[in-house]
Amino acid sequence: MYGTGWCAFCMMARRLLRGKGVEIQEIRIDDDPAQRRVMEERSGRHTVPQVFAGEDHLGGYTDLVELEQRGELDERLGL
């Protein structure tokens, strides 16, 4: 997950994923600004968070919520 330490949507995404028992490998773009370019290239987006399961781009927090509501998030996370 690409994110920052202060982003409310990043905090909510962390909470959602941890609540599912997912171990998060976080790439903090506020600590390493060069990673912002990598995130933008990988996701095609410039906002955080951007969540990946392996190479599968799941999107941002609202995308995670939509996947969860459709019952698709667990499968996409490999749970």
Side-chain angles (χ1 to χ4, degrees):
M1 177 177 120
Y2 292 88
T4 66
W6 47 266
C7 164
F9 287 101
C10 296
M11 291 177 212
M12 291 186 293
R14 282 185 208 103
R15 189 175 325 125
L16 174 61
L17 295 169
R18 287 184 180 137
K20 292 187 160 292
V22 173
E23 183 179 329
I24 303 168
Q25 177 187 359
E26 190 164 357
I27 301 167
R28 294 272 306 265
I29 65 170
D30 52 344
D31 291 338
D32 187 354
Q35 287 297 326
R36 177 179 286 276
R37 287 187 296 281
V38 174
M39 177 195 77
E40 290 172 349
E41 289 173 11
R42 287 186 73 194
S43 68
R45 298 181 181 180
H46 64 275
T47 59
V48 291
Q50 291 303 318
V51 180
F52 288 81
E55 292 301 313
D56 185 18
H57 180 231
L58 303 179
Y61 175 71
T62 55
D63 299 306
L64 294 178
V65 170
E66 288 176 13
L67 287 168
E68 178 72 355
Q69 290 173 342
R70 292 195 311 254
E72 300 173 11
L73 184 57
D74 288 357
E75 182 180 342
R76 297 280 300 272
L77 291 170
L79 301 176

